[in-house]
Amino acid sequence: MTARPNVLVAVLALGGIVVSLMQTLVIPLLPRLPALLGAPPGDTAWVVTATLLASAVATPVVGRLGDMYGKRRMLLVSLVLLVIGSVAAALSETLPWLVAARAVQGLAAGVIPLGISIMRDELPAERLGSATAVMSASLGVGGALGLPAAALLAERSDWHVVFWTAGAAGAVVTVCVFALVPESSVRSGGRFDLVGAFGLSAALVCLLLAISKASEWNTTGLFAAAAVVLLLWGWYELRRSRPLVDLRTTIRRQVLLTNLASLVFAFAMFAQSLVLPQVLQLPAATGYGLGQSMLVTGLVLVPGGLVMMVMAPVAARVSAAGGPKRTLMYGAFVVAAGYGAGAGLMSQVWQLVLVSSVIGAGIGLAYGAMPALIMSAVPVSETAAANSLNTLMRAIGTSVSSAVAGSILAHHANLGGFRLIMGLGAAAALAAVAVAAAIPDRQPVMSAR
């Protein structure tokens, strides 16, 4: 089976949008879940935490399985899990059932790195840069569209409809992938590293739990456990001929620095998601809140997501002219400028639209460059695993950002706290510029053909 490039890119990008929709749709429900499910607010937070943990575990595992047994096959498995999790969530009436369903949904997180890897295998070289940029930007577009859609559904209908919608969207994409996306002949072979998968999963669960629950628990033991397990896991992986993650490849300067830049940049990117909705929704009586509804809040964030998608082809052209390293630097600098402006522009709705759009433009540039940097430094047979690890670094960065911002707001729930978070976002984006500047220059990414 062969697919026209435009059709392939459209289907795979739609898959990325649906996955990011799945992650975002639950956000408007969070304040209502304690009453809906009869559970304490601290417990309902597991509706988000379970998805985060499942995503972190699934992403590197699915990437490696895709390289070994077929990227299209694992893409279909991921989408089917998304549909199953969505239907289970739509049928849920208790918190444990909903948390379990959200964990199954989180297992679909590998869709975006798998999609990028399929593009490398199937597209001509001249189309690859713009296609992978669009695929990366789909994460932001889905998030931006998901907030107002979920808010509207939650306000106008039963909350279960949110999950039925996610399931229906996942089913449509599954059919499109089955009918229109070819299976790549590029395989790495070998046996799956089951011990390595368990080891990395255990380390990630400890690390992300420690980060996400740092303000609620004493997480020293979890951090220590994560460090010990990671050291043992690394020792084991270096002795494997077919490891889950080829650490010799990941410590190459270009791969290592790109992943580090991705982690730092994701910290910067996520800060706006924690500040702007709160400023928009806090009562005007606070002196700095704008008193807007969740629906208006979601609509304010839509332009930023759309700008991300518009910037995807721009990122490809900039990368073609000067290399993806410079595109990543430009994107991080634009994000820093957006946060710098945002620290002083919080008093009007239009100001937050502007800030969100500027930051979205920078994210679109940077996210378009990261896959190109990774793919130009790893063998074709390791593309999915390498892209999955890069996606994991972004997830860790957003988790750290969430924990830090939550700690700041717990002690400074005022305008000064919001400005401090925006300042940290700007500083992290500038740090990403510095890390990206150290990435060695490489030739443009080549096709897998």
Side-chain angles (χ1 to χ4, degrees), residues 152-335:
L152 183 62
L153 288 172
E155 289 177 2
R156 304 289 178 87
S157 63
D158 181 79
W159 64 277
H160 295 90
V161 175
V162 170
F163 296 109
W164 285 120
T165 303
V172 170
V173 176
T174 302
V175 172
C176 290
V177 170
F178 184 82
L180 300 172
V181 175
E183 180 61 270
S184 169
S185 60
V186 179
R187 305 281 178 89
S188 63
R191 298 180 63 182
F192 182 68
D193 180 10
L194 190 60
V195 174
F198 277 120
L200 181 59
S201 298
L204 289 174
V205 168
C206 290
L207 177 62
L208 292 175
L209 268 180
I211 292 170
S212 62
K213 298 296 182 180
S215 62
E216 303 172 35
W217 301 350
N218 181 351
T219 57
T220 304
L222 284 171
F223 277 118
V228 171
V229 174
L230 277 175
L231 286 173
L232 292 173
W233 173 79
W235 175 84
Y236 175 82
E237 291 292 283
L238 287 171
R239 283 155 179 77
R240 294 276 299 177
S241 59
R242 294 281 187 176
L244 177 74
V245 177
D246 189 342
L247 295 179
R248 294 177 180 84
T249 297
T250 60
I251 62 173
R252 291 176 187 169
R253 187 177 177 188
Q254 180 165 341
V255 179
L256 179 64
L257 291 176
T258 300
N259 284 330
L260 179 59
S262 299
L263 188 152
V264 177
F265 184 80
F267 179 99
M269 178 201 75
F270 197 65
Q272 66 154 339
S273 301
L274 301 167
V275 172
L276 300 189
Q278 294 199 53
V279 173
L280 283 161
Q281 292 181 78
L282 282 169
T286 60
Y288 49 86
L290 301 181
Q292 302 297 321
S293 68
M294 186 64 206
L295 178 58
V296 172
T297 299
L299 292 172
V300 167
L301 299 178
V302 167
L306 297 179
V307 168
M308 270 186 234
M309 185 62 82
V310 170
M311 292 303 294
V314 176
R317 288 195 291 270
V318 174
S319 294
K325 164 186 169 178
R326 287 171 176 75
T327 310
L328 176 56
M329 292 174 64
Y330 297 154
F333 187 79
V334 171
V335 168

Side-chain angles (χ1 to χ4, degrees), residues 41-53:
D43 291 347
T44 57
W46 281 98
V47 172
V48 174
T49 304
T51 308
L52 170 69
L53 296 177

